Tab-separated table of all heavy atoms in Angstrom:
chain	number	residue	atom	x	y	z
A	1	MET	N	-1.035	12.985	-16.467
A	1	MET	CA	-1.364	14.179	-17.020
A	1	MET	C	-1.944	15.205	-16.006
A	1	MET	O	-2.875	14.653	-15.410
A	1	MET	CB	-2.039	13.936	-18.153
A	1	MET	CG	-2.604	15.094	-19.005
A	1	MET	SD	-3.618	14.875	-20.359
A	1	MET	CE	-3.333	13.369	-20.949
A	2	GLU	N	-1.503	16.301	-15.999
A	2	GLU	CA	-2.064	17.332	-14.999
A	2	GLU	C	-3.453	17.652	-15.510
A	2	GLU	O	-3.561	17.951	-16.785
A	2	GLU	CB	-1.255	18.552	-14.919
A	2	GLU	CG	0.133	18.236	-14.152
A	2	GLU	CD	-0.267	17.967	-12.743
A	2	GLU	OE1	-1.125	18.577	-12.141
A	2	GLU	OE2	0.513	17.105	-12.158
A	3	PRO	N	-4.537	17.832	-14.699
A	3	PRO	CA	-5.779	18.121	-15.022
A	3	PRO	C	-5.981	19.408	-15.813
A	3	PRO	O	-6.577	19.559	-16.820
A	3	PRO	CB	-6.596	18.191	-13.809
A	3	PRO	CG	-5.845	17.252	-12.815
A	3	PRO	CD	-4.517	17.433	-13.282
A	4	GLU	N	-5.224	20.412	-15.292
A	4	GLU	CA	-5.182	21.699	-15.910
A	4	GLU	C	-4.626	21.639	-17.423
A	4	GLU	O	-5.186	22.283	-18.283
A	4	GLU	CB	-4.452	22.846	-15.107
A	4	GLU	CG	-4.945	23.002	-13.782
A	4	GLU	CD	-4.365	22.044	-12.654
A	4	GLU	OE1	-3.383	21.380	-13.027
A	4	GLU	OE2	-5.065	21.876	-11.699
A	5	TRP	N	-3.466	20.993	-17.611
A	5	TRP	CA	-2.962	20.809	-18.899
A	5	TRP	C	-3.995	20.099	-19.837
A	5	TRP	O	-4.056	20.523	-20.943
A	5	TRP	CB	-1.672	20.164	-18.822
A	5	TRP	CG	-0.945	20.153	-20.164
A	5	TRP	CD1	-0.029	20.944	-20.639
A	5	TRP	CD2	-1.114	18.976	-21.043
A	5	TRP	NE1	0.379	20.580	-21.746
A	5	TRP	CE2	-0.211	19.440	-22.093
A	5	TRP	CE3	-1.724	17.916	-21.247
A	5	TRP	CZ2	-0.132	18.575	-23.221
A	5	TRP	CZ3	-1.754	17.120	-22.442
A	5	TRP	CH2	-0.888	17.523	-23.384
A	6	GLY	N	-4.508	18.995	-19.292
A	6	GLY	CA	-5.356	18.298	-20.078
A	6	GLY	C	-6.651	19.119	-20.613
A	6	GLY	O	-7.050	19.070	-21.807
A	7	ARG	N	-7.200	19.898	-19.682
A	7	ARG	CA	-8.361	20.749	-20.090
A	7	ARG	C	-7.866	21.755	-21.086
A	7	ARG	O	-8.592	22.120	-22.044
A	7	ARG	CB	-8.838	21.439	-18.780
A	7	ARG	CG	-9.804	20.615	-18.064
A	7	ARG	CD	-10.619	21.418	-16.939
A	7	ARG	NE	-9.776	21.815	-15.927
A	7	ARG	CZ	-9.465	21.142	-14.791
A	7	ARG	NH1	-9.963	19.926	-14.582
A	7	ARG	NH2	-8.583	21.596	-14.004
A	8	ALA	N	-6.774	22.393	-20.816
A	8	ALA	CA	-6.200	23.454	-21.781
A	8	ALA	C	-6.012	22.984	-23.193
A	8	ALA	O	-5.945	23.629	-24.022
A	8	ALA	CB	-5.028	24.208	-21.101
A	9	ASN	N	-5.638	21.629	-23.344
A	9	ASN	CA	-5.183	21.078	-24.613
A	9	ASN	C	-6.324	20.142	-25.143
A	9	ASN	O	-6.083	19.411	-26.131
A	9	ASN	CB	-3.954	20.294	-24.349
A	9	ASN	CG	-2.741	21.233	-24.204
A	9	ASN	OD1	-2.291	22.019	-25.140
A	9	ASN	ND2	-2.285	21.528	-22.837
A	10	GLY	N	-7.515	20.311	-24.680
A	10	GLY	CA	-8.605	19.510	-25.221
A	10	GLY	C	-8.713	18.096	-24.963
A	10	GLY	O	-9.475	17.381	-25.676
A	11	TYR	N	-8.192	17.571	-23.830
A	11	TYR	CA	-8.147	16.241	-23.519
A	11	TYR	C	-9.261	16.009	-22.575
A	11	TYR	O	-9.769	16.965	-21.830
A	11	TYR	CB	-6.911	15.742	-22.842
A	11	TYR	CG	-5.790	15.481	-23.780
A	11	TYR	CD1	-4.881	16.543	-23.993
A	11	TYR	CD2	-5.620	14.322	-24.437
A	11	TYR	CE1	-3.818	16.515	-24.913
A	11	TYR	CE2	-4.590	14.192	-25.382
A	11	TYR	CZ	-3.703	15.277	-25.601
A	11	TYR	OH	-2.675	15.103	-26.471
A	12	LYS	N	-10.007	14.763	-22.664
A	12	LYS	CA	-11.164	14.451	-21.814
A	12	LYS	C	-10.618	14.447	-20.311
A	12	LYS	O	-9.682	13.742	-20.048
A	12	LYS	CB	-11.777	13.084	-22.283
A	12	LYS	CG	-12.867	12.714	-21.450
A	12	LYS	CD	-13.376	11.365	-22.018
A	12	LYS	CE	-14.601	10.944	-21.125
A	12	LYS	NZ	-15.066	9.560	-21.656
A	13	GLU	N	-11.458	14.987	-19.459
A	13	GLU	CA	-11.091	14.948	-17.996
A	13	GLU	C	-11.468	13.552	-17.495
A	13	GLU	O	-12.277	12.874	-17.991
A	13	GLU	CB	-11.960	15.889	-17.210
A	13	GLU	CG	-11.511	17.326	-17.596
A	13	GLU	CD	-12.275	18.393	-16.710
A	13	GLU	OE1	-12.377	18.136	-15.491
A	13	GLU	OE2	-12.857	19.382	-17.110
A	14	TRP	N	-10.702	13.152	-16.515
A	14	TRP	CA	-10.848	11.769	-15.907
A	14	TRP	C	-10.448	11.768	-14.362
A	14	TRP	O	-9.937	12.824	-13.982
A	14	TRP	CB	-10.156	10.661	-16.586
A	14	TRP	CG	-8.720	11.000	-16.764
A	14	TRP	CD1	-7.981	11.837	-17.593
A	14	TRP	CD2	-7.650	10.244	-16.156
A	14	TRP	NE1	-6.729	11.791	-17.408
A	14	TRP	CE2	-6.433	10.798	-16.530
A	14	TRP	CE3	-7.602	9.188	-15.184
A	14	TRP	CZ2	-5.219	10.265	-16.122
A	14	TRP	CZ3	-6.442	8.663	-14.706
A	14	TRP	CH2	-5.174	9.274	-15.251
A	15	ASP	N	-10.991	10.871	-13.760
A	15	ASP	CA	-10.809	10.810	-12.251
A	15	ASP	C	-10.287	9.453	-11.863
A	15	ASP	O	-10.152	8.561	-12.624
A	15	ASP	CB	-12.201	10.958	-11.521
A	15	ASP	CG	-12.711	12.360	-11.720
A	15	ASP	OD1	-12.020	13.424	-11.602
A	15	ASP	OD2	-14.018	12.505	-11.969
A	16	TYR	N	-9.835	9.368	-10.715
A	16	TYR	CA	-9.171	8.107	-10.127
A	16	TYR	C	-10.067	7.315	-9.352
A	16	TYR	O	-10.928	8.021	-8.616
A	16	TYR	CB	-7.924	8.361	-9.311
A	16	TYR	CG	-6.779	8.958	-10.044
A	16	TYR	CD1	-6.710	10.336	-10.228
A	16	TYR	CD2	-5.858	8.220	-10.764
A	16	TYR	CE1	-5.696	10.990	-11.004
A	16	TYR	CE2	-4.810	8.794	-11.470
A	16	TYR	CZ	-4.703	10.213	-11.533
A	16	TYR	OH	-3.686	10.738	-12.335
A	17	VAL	N	-10.094	6.128	-9.254
A	17	VAL	CA	-10.952	5.330	-8.367
A	17	VAL	C	-9.992	4.385	-7.572
A	17	VAL	O	-9.431	3.584	-8.140
A	17	VAL	CB	-12.169	4.565	-9.080
A	17	VAL	CG1	-12.884	3.661	-8.084
A	17	VAL	CG2	-12.933	5.420	-9.874
A	18	PHE	N	-9.940	4.644	-6.212
A	18	PHE	CA	-9.167	3.817	-5.408
A	18	PHE	C	-9.994	2.893	-4.630
A	18	PHE	O	-10.769	3.286	-3.732
A	18	PHE	CB	-8.304	4.753	-4.466
A	18	PHE	CG	-7.252	5.521	-5.096
A	18	PHE	CD1	-7.532	6.847	-5.428
A	18	PHE	CD2	-6.093	4.989	-5.595
A	18	PHE	CE1	-6.558	7.684	-6.006
A	18	PHE	CE2	-5.174	5.849	-6.201
A	18	PHE	CZ	-5.292	7.062	-6.483
A	19	MET	N	-10.007	1.583	-4.957
A	19	MET	CA	-10.931	0.686	-4.420
A	19	MET	C	-10.217	-0.174	-3.379
A	19	MET	O	-9.269	-0.985	-3.835
A	19	MET	CB	-11.702	-0.204	-5.344
A	19	MET	CG	-12.567	0.628	-6.259
A	19	MET	SD	-13.416	-0.599	-7.337
A	19	MET	CE	-12.904	0.098	-8.879
A	20	PRO	N	-10.613	-0.345	-2.099
A	20	PRO	CA	-9.910	-1.337	-1.290
A	20	PRO	C	-10.221	-2.787	-1.577
A	20	PRO	O	-11.357	-2.972	-1.981
A	20	PRO	CB	-10.595	-0.896	0.105
A	20	PRO	CG	-11.133	0.451	-0.060
A	20	PRO	CD	-11.465	0.587	-1.457
A	21	PHE	N	-9.312	-3.483	-1.945
A	21	PHE	CA	-9.642	-4.854	-2.407
A	21	PHE	C	-10.539	-5.601	-1.538
A	21	PHE	O	-11.150	-6.629	-2.032
A	21	PHE	CB	-8.248	-5.614	-2.635
A	21	PHE	CG	-7.638	-6.197	-1.452
A	21	PHE	CD1	-7.859	-7.425	-1.082
A	21	PHE	CD2	-6.698	-5.302	-0.681
A	21	PHE	CE1	-7.116	-7.874	0.053
A	21	PHE	CE2	-5.999	-5.772	0.376
A	21	PHE	CZ	-6.274	-7.132	0.827
A	22	LYS	N	-10.488	-5.458	-0.258
A	22	LYS	CA	-11.394	-6.213	0.569
A	22	LYS	C	-12.918	-5.945	0.350
A	22	LYS	O	-13.761	-6.740	0.792
A	22	LYS	CB	-11.108	-6.071	2.020
A	22	LYS	CG	-9.759	-6.558	2.457
A	22	LYS	CD	-9.518	-6.408	3.974
A	22	LYS	CE	-8.066	-7.022	4.275
A	22	LYS	NZ	-7.839	-6.890	5.733
A	23	LEU	N	-13.125	-4.795	-0.280
A	23	LEU	CA	-14.589	-4.424	-0.472
A	23	LEU	C	-15.090	-4.788	-1.972
A	23	LEU	O	-16.186	-4.556	-2.278
A	23	LEU	CB	-14.745	-2.931	-0.227
A	23	LEU	CG	-14.453	-2.398	1.147
A	23	LEU	CD1	-14.687	-0.964	1.208
A	23	LEU	CD2	-15.406	-3.122	2.200
A	24	ILE	N	-14.172	-5.393	-2.697
A	24	ILE	CA	-14.576	-5.905	-4.000
A	24	ILE	C	-15.070	-7.321	-3.823
A	24	ILE	O	-14.335	-8.248	-3.581
A	24	ILE	CB	-13.493	-5.894	-4.925
A	24	ILE	CG1	-12.770	-4.459	-5.137
A	24	ILE	CG2	-13.825	-6.384	-6.312
A	24	ILE	CD1	-11.577	-4.339	-6.070
A	25	THR	N	-16.335	-7.480	-3.810
A	25	THR	CA	-16.990	-8.736	-3.486
A	25	THR	C	-17.914	-9.133	-4.704
A	25	THR	O	-17.953	-8.348	-5.661
A	25	THR	CB	-18.062	-8.695	-2.379
A	25	THR	OG1	-18.977	-7.662	-2.670
A	25	THR	CG2	-17.231	-8.205	-1.091
A	26	GLU	N	-18.410	-10.318	-4.747
A	26	GLU	CA	-19.175	-10.937	-5.791
A	26	GLU	C	-20.422	-10.132	-6.099
A	26	GLU	O	-20.807	-10.018	-7.332
A	26	GLU	CB	-19.593	-12.296	-5.514
A	26	GLU	CG	-18.363	-13.264	-5.625
A	26	GLU	CD	-18.825	-14.931	-5.386
A	26	GLU	OE1	-20.093	-15.100	-5.647
A	26	GLU	OE2	-18.048	-15.587	-4.880
A	27	ASN	N	-20.954	-9.465	-5.146
A	27	ASN	CA	-22.251	-8.632	-5.367
A	27	ASN	C	-21.948	-7.142	-5.551
A	27	ASN	O	-22.899	-6.364	-5.698
A	27	ASN	CB	-23.246	-8.981	-4.320
A	27	ASN	CG	-22.686	-8.484	-2.936
A	27	ASN	OD1	-21.531	-8.324	-2.710
A	27	ASN	ND2	-23.779	-8.247	-1.987
A	28	ALA	N	-20.722	-6.702	-5.556
A	28	ALA	CA	-20.376	-5.378	-5.723
A	28	ALA	C	-20.299	-4.976	-7.210
A	28	ALA	O	-19.743	-5.735	-7.965
A	28	ALA	CB	-19.089	-5.067	-5.003
A	29	THR	N	-20.944	-3.828	-7.507
A	29	THR	CA	-20.962	-3.547	-8.901
A	29	THR	C	-19.817	-2.325	-9.114
A	29	THR	O	-19.496	-1.752	-8.129
A	29	THR	CB	-22.337	-2.924	-9.407
A	29	THR	OG1	-22.613	-1.734	-8.612
A	29	THR	CG2	-23.445	-4.098	-9.204
A	30	LEU	N	-19.355	-2.401	-10.259
A	30	LEU	CA	-18.433	-1.344	-10.627
A	30	LEU	C	-18.926	0.072	-10.420
A	30	LEU	O	-18.326	0.984	-9.954
A	30	LEU	CB	-17.912	-1.485	-12.072
A	30	LEU	CG	-16.842	-0.495	-12.420
A	30	LEU	CD1	-15.534	-0.552	-11.595
A	30	LEU	CD2	-16.395	-0.656	-13.874
A	31	ASP	N	-20.197	0.177	-10.795
A	31	ASP	CA	-20.980	1.562	-10.530
A	31	ASP	C	-20.974	1.896	-9.048
A	31	ASP	O	-20.679	3.001	-8.783
A	31	ASP	CB	-22.332	1.396	-11.165
A	31	ASP	CG	-23.138	2.691	-11.138
A	31	ASP	OD1	-22.552	3.735	-11.639
A	31	ASP	OD2	-24.187	2.827	-10.599
A	32	MET	N	-21.257	1.063	-8.222
A	32	MET	CA	-21.382	1.274	-6.830
A	32	MET	C	-20.069	1.604	-6.293
A	32	MET	O	-19.844	2.514	-5.471
A	32	MET	CB	-21.942	-0.019	-6.028
A	32	MET	CG	-22.124	0.242	-4.608
A	32	MET	SD	-20.760	-0.255	-3.534
A	32	MET	CE	-20.458	-1.878	-3.897
A	33	LEU	N	-18.948	0.776	-6.570
A	33	LEU	CA	-17.669	1.015	-6.061
A	33	LEU	C	-17.133	2.477	-6.641
A	33	LEU	O	-16.509	3.080	-5.845
A	33	LEU	CB	-16.732	-0.064	-6.509
A	33	LEU	CG	-16.977	-1.467	-5.771
A	33	LEU	CD1	-16.257	-2.464	-6.523
A	33	LEU	CD2	-16.684	-1.439	-4.444
A	34	THR	N	-17.420	2.723	-7.871
A	34	THR	CA	-16.978	3.920	-8.412
A	34	THR	C	-17.523	5.253	-7.692
A	34	THR	O	-16.884	6.108	-7.291
A	34	THR	CB	-17.275	4.019	-9.970
A	34	THR	OG1	-16.662	2.911	-10.668
A	34	THR	CG2	-16.777	5.365	-10.512
A	35	LYS	N	-18.792	5.110	-7.424
A	35	LYS	CA	-19.608	6.206	-6.819
A	35	LYS	C	-18.948	6.341	-5.333
A	35	LYS	O	-18.789	7.476	-4.828
A	35	LYS	CB	-20.976	6.004	-6.684
A	35	LYS	CG	-21.692	6.132	-7.952
A	35	LYS	CD	-23.135	5.862	-7.959
A	35	LYS	CE	-23.759	6.001	-9.436
A	35	LYS	NZ	-25.113	5.587	-9.526
A	36	ARG	N	-18.584	5.221	-4.743
A	36	ARG	CA	-18.072	5.349	-3.270
A	36	ARG	C	-16.616	5.807	-3.293
A	36	ARG	O	-16.362	6.355	-2.240
A	36	ARG	CB	-18.373	3.898	-2.685
A	36	ARG	CG	-18.050	3.824	-1.189
A	36	ARG	CD	-18.511	2.613	-0.736
A	36	ARG	NE	-18.106	2.583	0.667
A	36	ARG	CZ	-18.113	1.441	1.584
A	36	ARG	NH1	-18.477	0.309	0.995
A	36	ARG	NH2	-17.771	1.497	2.805
A	37	PHE	N	-15.844	5.497	-4.136
A	37	PHE	CA	-14.398	5.604	-4.004
A	37	PHE	C	-13.690	6.465	-5.023
A	37	PHE	O	-12.568	6.604	-5.046
A	37	PHE	CB	-13.621	4.243	-4.025
A	37	PHE	CG	-14.066	3.396	-2.808
A	37	PHE	CD1	-14.820	2.239	-3.114
A	37	PHE	CD2	-13.764	3.713	-1.517
A	37	PHE	CE1	-15.272	1.446	-2.011
A	37	PHE	CE2	-14.045	2.855	-0.435
A	37	PHE	CZ	-14.810	1.799	-0.623
A	38	ILE	N	-14.558	7.146	-5.767
A	38	ILE	CA	-13.927	8.129	-6.822
A	38	ILE	C	-13.209	9.358	-6.157
A	38	ILE	O	-13.501	9.747	-5.065
A	38	ILE	CB	-15.001	8.624	-7.861
A	38	ILE	CG1	-14.358	9.187	-9.082
A	38	ILE	CG2	-15.941	9.729	-7.171
A	38	ILE	CD1	-15.299	9.350	-10.265
A	39	VAL	N	-12.095	9.612	-6.818
A	39	VAL	CA	-11.194	10.770	-6.321
A	39	VAL	C	-11.037	11.685	-7.500
A	39	VAL	O	-10.566	11.301	-8.535
A	39	VAL	CB	-9.806	10.335	-5.804
A	39	VAL	CG1	-8.967	11.487	-5.332
A	39	VAL	CG2	-10.064	9.414	-4.588
A	40	ASP	N	-11.479	12.872	-7.364
A	40	ASP	CA	-11.365	13.826	-8.391
A	40	ASP	C	-9.929	14.142	-8.815
A	40	ASP	O	-9.011	14.176	-7.942
A	40	ASP	CB	-11.963	15.267	-7.905
A	40	ASP	CG	-12.036	16.255	-9.059
A	40	ASP	OD1	-11.040	16.943	-9.266
A	40	ASP	OD2	-13.078	16.312	-9.801
A	41	ALA	N	-9.693	14.148	-10.028
A	41	ALA	CA	-8.241	14.443	-10.500
A	41	ALA	C	-7.542	15.726	-9.986
A	41	ALA	O	-6.372	15.685	-9.936
A	41	ALA	CB	-8.249	14.357	-12.157
A	42	ASP	N	-8.331	16.612	-9.540
A	42	ASP	CA	-7.818	17.869	-8.947
A	42	ASP	C	-7.553	17.787	-7.516
A	42	ASP	O	-7.133	18.680	-6.913
A	42	ASP	CB	-8.845	19.109	-9.360
A	42	ASP	CG	-8.865	19.526	-10.779
A	42	ASP	OD1	-7.839	19.331	-11.343
A	42	ASP	OD2	-9.965	19.792	-11.185
A	43	SER	N	-7.967	16.607	-7.016
A	43	SER	CA	-7.832	16.401	-5.544
A	43	SER	C	-6.429	16.530	-5.014
A	43	SER	O	-5.447	16.258	-5.562
A	43	SER	CB	-8.369	15.152	-5.043
A	43	SER	OG	-8.158	14.824	-3.804
A	44	ASP	N	-6.259	17.181	-3.775
A	44	ASP	CA	-4.896	17.449	-3.211
A	44	ASP	C	-4.331	15.984	-2.865
A	44	ASP	O	-3.125	15.860	-2.713
A	44	ASP	CB	-5.077	18.142	-1.978
A	44	ASP	CG	-5.370	19.637	-2.285
A	44	ASP	OD1	-4.990	20.067	-3.374
A	44	ASP	OD2	-5.877	20.395	-1.386
A	45	ILE	N	-5.180	15.028	-2.684
A	45	ILE	CA	-4.618	13.670	-2.326
A	45	ILE	C	-3.718	13.103	-3.409
A	45	ILE	O	-2.819	12.233	-3.235
A	45	ILE	CB	-5.772	12.649	-2.096
A	45	ILE	CG1	-5.237	11.406	-1.339
A	45	ILE	CG2	-6.528	12.211	-3.312
A	45	ILE	CD1	-6.267	10.560	-0.702
A	46	LEU	N	-3.752	13.596	-4.605
A	46	LEU	CA	-3.128	13.076	-5.698
A	46	LEU	C	-1.874	13.977	-6.074
A	46	LEU	O	-0.997	13.637	-6.872
A	46	LEU	CB	-3.906	13.109	-7.068
A	46	LEU	CG	-5.087	12.191	-6.955
A	46	LEU	CD1	-5.979	12.358	-8.255
A	46	LEU	CD2	-4.766	10.671	-6.815
A	47	LYS	N	-1.796	15.139	-5.483
A	47	LYS	CA	-0.539	16.086	-5.564
A	47	LYS	C	0.656	15.524	-4.974
A	47	LYS	O	0.766	14.866	-3.907
A	47	LYS	CB	-0.898	17.380	-4.916
A	47	LYS	CG	-2.156	18.065	-5.497
A	47	LYS	CD	-1.946	18.879	-6.633
A	47	LYS	CE	-3.116	19.680	-7.004
A	47	LYS	NZ	-3.784	19.406	-8.166
A	48	GLU	N	1.800	15.619	-5.695
A	48	GLU	CA	3.081	15.255	-5.160
A	48	GLU	C	3.578	16.326	-4.175
A	48	GLU	O	3.465	17.429	-4.409
A	48	GLU	CB	4.029	15.107	-6.288
A	48	GLU	CG	3.766	13.809	-7.091
A	48	GLU	CD	4.807	13.559	-8.154
A	48	GLU	OE1	6.040	13.885	-7.813
A	48	GLU	OE2	4.449	13.197	-9.198
A	49	ASP	N	4.287	15.871	-3.158
A	49	ASP	CA	4.967	16.921	-2.291
A	49	ASP	C	6.228	17.334	-2.958
A	49	ASP	O	7.195	16.549	-2.954
A	49	ASP	CB	5.178	16.197	-0.840
A	49	ASP	CG	3.923	15.852	-0.199
A	49	ASP	OD1	2.983	16.548	-0.440
A	49	ASP	OD2	3.836	14.993	0.696
A	50	ASN	N	6.355	18.439	-3.394
A	50	ASN	CA	7.564	18.920	-4.022
A	50	ASN	C	8.109	20.144	-3.203
A	50	ASN	O	7.502	20.886	-2.759
A	50	ASN	CB	7.285	19.361	-5.486
A	50	ASN	CG	7.059	18.244	-6.451
A	50	ASN	OD1	7.589	17.143	-6.165
A	50	ASN	ND2	6.213	18.453	-7.337
């Protein structure tokens, strides 16, 4: 779902978290990983090349 469309239609905004599997360890918390690897839904990294 496109972020602009979601906002315009009253849907909750959300972001992506891309976590390298090698950094997911026994002592890594979801909170720590999320803060480190979160990608805003409006980010150009998520845009398709059309």
Side-chain angles (χ1 to χ4, degrees):
M1 174 182 336
E2 290 293 322
E4 298 84 18
W5 185 91
R7 281 190 290 272
N9 290 284
Y11 286 91
K12 182 179 177 183
E13 291 186 44
W14 54 290
D15 296 314
Y16 297 88
V17 179
F18 294 102
M19 293 183 238
F21 74 95
K22 290 182 179 182
L23 296 179
I24 301 173
T25 60
E26 289 183 25
N27 64 338
T29 65
L30 183 58
D31 186 52
M32 184 270 304
L33 291 168
T34 301
K35 287 177 182 174
R36 187 169 176 192
F37 298 108
I38 196 164
V39 177
D40 186 271
D42 290 322
S43 174
D44 288 338
I45 197 170
L46 300 174
K47 304 266 189 246
E48 292 184 34
D49 294 331
N50 288 329

